[in-house]
Every structure is written in C-alpha cells, then in structure tokens.
Amino acid sequence: MKYGYYSGCCLNSTCKDFDVSIRSVFRILGVEVEEIKNWVCCGSSAVHVAPRYLSVALPLDSMAKAQKQGLDEVLVPCAACYARFKTGLHDINADGGLKREVEQALKHTFTDKLRIISPLELLSAAETVDKIRKSRKTDLSGLKVVCYYGCYLSRVPDHFEDTEFPQSMDRLMDAAGAQLVDWGSRTDCCGGSLSVTRTDIARKLSNDILSAAKKAGAEAVVVSCPFCHMNLDARQGDIEAAYGIKYDMPVYYFSQVIGAALGAPEKDLMLNMHFVNPKRVVEKAGTYGH
Amino acid sequence: MSEVETLAKNETRTGPSRPALDINPPEGARLAAAVKLAANTDVNACFQCRKCTSGCPVAYAMDYTPAQIMHAIRLGLKDLVLSSSTIWLCAACETCVARCPQGVDIVKAMDALRGMCLSEGYKPKEPEVAAFYKYSLNSIQVFGRLYELGVMGRLKLATREFRKDWRLGLGLFKRGKLKVIPDFGSVGEMRRMEFRVVRRKV
C-alpha cells in the first residue's frame, strides 16, 4: 500500500538529512510513499498567535490535498508538524461548528479514513522491528544511545505512545543493534522555538538534557524532531561555551541510525551535515564506512 | 455604581455594616468566558493543584506561574494576564496539558491570551517572541511555506541584534541547511484562507 508523505518546511531546509535518510530507510524496507502536491506549512509555532480557526485550517489544508490525491494514510516525519496535524484533526472532530467552518474554507469534506502517522509508529510495529533486526548489515553494538522523544510525540491528542514513558524509538534502536541507555529526560522540552528569541532559555533546557545524557553514560542522543536536533546539535557549541562543559555528544535522527544498521549508502545518511562530528562514534561502533 | 456596591450600600441601611465581597466580579467571569470562546477550554475547572507549574520547564523564567495565570483569569485580572511574560514564554510543550487532572488545555488558553494581547492593544512583555510569531505567520501567508532566512532577517531588523547567532547562521549555510532562495512551490495556495492576524507594530 502507498502512504502519503508530508515533508514540511524544516525537512526541506534545516534538516534535509532527516528527509533523505528516512526516505532511504523507507526504500530499504519497501514502504512506498508519495509526496503531497502543493503542501503548505503546518503553521508550526507561528499559529500560537493565530485565531483557533486558522491554527486548524492551516495544517488541515495539506491533509485535504492528500485526500484529494487519494492518500488517506499520511506519514509525517517532523514531530512538530505531526503534533499540529493530530491536534487539528482532533479539534475538528470535537467541535462540529469549527469543522464546518474549516471544511467550507478548504472546500473539502474530511472522511473518517484520514490517518496521520508518525514514521516511528509505522516502523516500531512488531513485524517491522523483526525485519530490521533480521536484515541488519552493520554492527552498531558499541554505540551507547539515549532516545530523546521531546514534547510532541507522546503528548498530542490521540497519541500512540505512553505519555510519560514512550518506547517506540527504544524498540527501534534495539532492533538496529545499538546499546540502549535508560535515562529520565526522554520527554523533557528542549525549548523549541524559543531558541530564536529567548536563546538563554533554550540553552538552559538543552544543557539539562545533554548533561542528563552524559551522566547516564550515553555516547549519542537519538531524536525524531527537527527542533530538538537544532537545539541539541547546532547549538551544542553555544551551550558548551555558555556553561563551560565539553559534551562532544553527536545527535542522530533515528532514521540515520536505522539507515546505518541496514547498510544504507553513506550519501543517504548525510552525516556530514551535523555540527557535532557524528562519524567518530559510528566508526568506533562498528564497520560503518568500510 | 456597580451592582456589588449597590448591594453593599443597601445592606448597611438594613443590617450590620460589612465590606462588599469582591471575590468574583462580573469582569472576572467575562475574561474566563472569552478564553473559553477562543480556546474551547474551561479555565474555571482549575482547582489550583499546581501540577502544571511543577512540570513546566519554563516556569523559572516567567513572572507568573501557569497556575497563577489560570487563577488570575478566573479573577478577571485582565491587565495582569495580558501584560505577563508567561503568555509569551510558554513553549507549548504540553506537559501541563498532559498532566492536568481537570482537563484544562492550558496551551490553547495561552494561545488565546496571546491573540487577545495583540488584538486589544496590550504591549507584549516579550516583544521579540511576539515579533517572531507574527513574521513567521506572515511568511506562511506570502509563500505558503516558512522562509526561515526571511523571518530571521526581519527579526534582526526589528531587534537590531545583528551579531546574535551569526555563527549558527554561517554553520547552517556552510552545510547547505539554509535555504537562501524561498520555496515558491505553494505561493498562492493561501488565498482561500482567511488570515485574521492583527497587523500591529510590536
């Protein structure tokens, strides 16, 4: 079966590595995806000043386009976009008046078949996990990781994860052959969009997460959200300078680790796009690059 | 003379004198009702357990905690609520919403309060945050997608902090992660949608 695919703004600019690596994982695992044509931005954090109608109509516009394209099940890799879609869909189902208003504006009637799926939900299903475990090509057993879920995956309406103890990424990292490290900050907030405006707050929150990961004994953090990646990876130098601590902690998208385990071509993993050099750990971990 | 004051005055005439109770004046009910209308969540359900505040990662930087803001809404302290830094510093991480035993959607309430702050002419306590949200929304309105460099440029012009984050920007650019030319793939897709955004200079 074919899934719809919503890449979103971030995956086309600041985190191309996530987009390319997850498509590569889909290709290897035989998941067929089709991009939604003329998609628009989900609204991201900007809709936090918009009226309720707009904060729902913006994300659902792309979902209306998906349904018109005949795609009822849409994969959304970016955790922030995923949250907006889930919230929007939940809101129109809870409020008939809002639903009518949105449907009129978008000139589309939503059917019950529409499903918004996080790739983590799809890939962490038992059969897929087994498939990844069996078709592993690279040994990552030396790689000690903590899985960092952040805010959006487990706290949106109709979530598939436990709110306080999500596990999908841990199951996948285990299947990919990495060493899991348990820790207490898996659903903490990295500061998200405050990174641009109140950098001090984002720095403090991200520093708490990085130091928790280091204390737990992890050598790398695995994430699924572009905002988390930006704050933990691109800002890591900033954080190190501000707090006088050296972390040198690579931050991977979960798709990059699965891709490495499944032997995806190096150009698809785009590890050279990170700020903190991630290759060192992967090379130490196994046979990657040989 | 307000209804409460009239009642109090009549009371002194007929019975023993006591001050008028001003716990929940009509104005208070109005603010909570406005939040309910805009956010579809009932702040009056809050019973001040402060779980929201205990879990809030940004509470340390706010002038009023989320629980205090919820209570202030119920008391109708509009000026306090709309001039607080809390409504702008909320990172929308939803920890409070997930844990609230009364099912109050605090994040949606904060969204509604931000909108009220701008549309009723209050000065945002965190002007930079307000400007960032507005420029982002504007970018979506024009391009249908977010044009990060454009938003950052406008923010820099507004705040005059040109040196902030230049290293991060350069790093992103070197890695090909910064889109220099905006994405025109969905220009014009936004025409159907009503962008009811307040165009007030922050």
Side-chain angles (χ1 to χ4, degrees), chain B:
Chain B
M1 198 181 287
S2 81
E3 207 181 324
V4 183
E5 280 165 347
T6 321
L7 274 172
K9 205 176 174 194
N10 289 343
E11 191 142 78
T12 48
R13 250 185 246 148
T14 52
S17 162
R18 62 184 167 88
L21 290 175
D22 205 18
I23 294 171
N24 207 354
E27 178 64 26
R30 276 209 290 275
L31 185 57
V35 170
K36 189 173 180 178
L37 191 72
N40 199 27
T41 190
D42 192 358
V43 175
N44 281 325
C46 171
F47 55 31
Q48 290 291 304
C49 69
R50 298 185 185 83
K51 264 180 140 179
C52 51
T53 304
S54 313
C56 179
V58 202
Y60 81 95
M62 294 169 169
D63 48 5
Y64 293 97
T65 65
Q68 283 176 323
I69 290 294
M70 294 301 114
H71 197 53
I73 296 172
R74 299 185 61 200
L75 293 176
L77 306 174
K78 195 170 172 180
D79 292 347
L80 181 150
V81 172
L82 298 184
S83 334
S84 69
S85 71
T86 310
I87 58 172
W88 297 104
L89 292 185
C90 166
C93 75
E94 307 241 351
T95 309
C96 52
V97 184
R99 294 178 184 172
C100 178
Q102 290 293 85
V104 179
D105 197 323
I106 299 151
V107 170
K108 285 218 180 80
M110 294 290 177
D111 290 356
L113 293 170
R114 285 188 200 110
M116 256 183 242
C117 171
L118 294 180
S119 64
E120 301 198 10
Y122 282 82
K123 196 169 170 282
K125 185 83 175 275
E126 297 284 336
E128 214 179 318
V129 180
F132 175 65
Y133 284 153
K134 280 169 63 181
Y135 296 156
S136 305
L137 204 55
N138 205 237
S139 168
I140 300 169
Q141 186 178 9
V142 174
F143 297 109
R145 295 175 188 178
L146 208 57
Y147 174 42
E148 291 92 349
L149 197 62
V151 174
M152 292 311 296
R154 284 186 71 183
L155 197 63
K156 292 241 169 288
L157 284 175
T159 58
R160 309 251 150 223
E161 281 185 3
F162 295 104
R163 276 190 302 175
K164 188 185 169 190
D165 281 342
W166 68 271
R167 211 186 292 268
L168 179 74
L170 192 68
L172 287 172
F173 180 73
K174 270 198 215 148
R175 289 166 179 81
K177 284 182 156 192
L178 206 60
K179 213 167 22 191
V180 180
I181 300 159
D183 188 342
F184 291 105
S186 289
V187 173
E189 289 290 321
M190 291 286 94
R191 254 176 245 136
R192 283 166 301 145
M193 240 172 273
E194 268 180 78
F195 266 82
R196 280 176 271 168
V197 195
V198 191
R199 286 174 193 282
R200 204 179 141 265
K201 200 167 163 51
V202 185

Side-chain angles (χ1 to χ4, degrees), chain A residues 149 154-155 159 161-167 183-188, chain B residues 51 55 94-100:
Chain A
Y149 295 80
S154 59
R155 290 197 280 261
H159 43 79
E161 295 264 30
D162 185 275
T163 315
E164 303 286 350
F165 194 73
Q167 287 156 66
W183 68 323
S185 296
R186 55 180 70 213
T187 59
D188 286 359
Chain B
K51 264 180 140 179
E94 307 241 351
T95 309
C96 52
V97 184
R99 294 178 184 172
C100 178

Side-chain angles (χ1 to χ4, degrees), chain A residues 112-137:
Chain A
D112 296 341
K113 280 190 286 180
L114 179 62
R115 270 187 71 213
I116 290 141
I117 310 167
S118 160
L120 275 175
E121 187 180 359
L122 181 82
L123 298 179
S124 66
E127 327 73 272
T128 322
V129 167
D130 270 353
K131 198 171 167 186
I132 295 172
R133 204 184 298 277
K134 277 177 196 140
S135 44
R136 222 152 60 186
K137 290 199 173 62

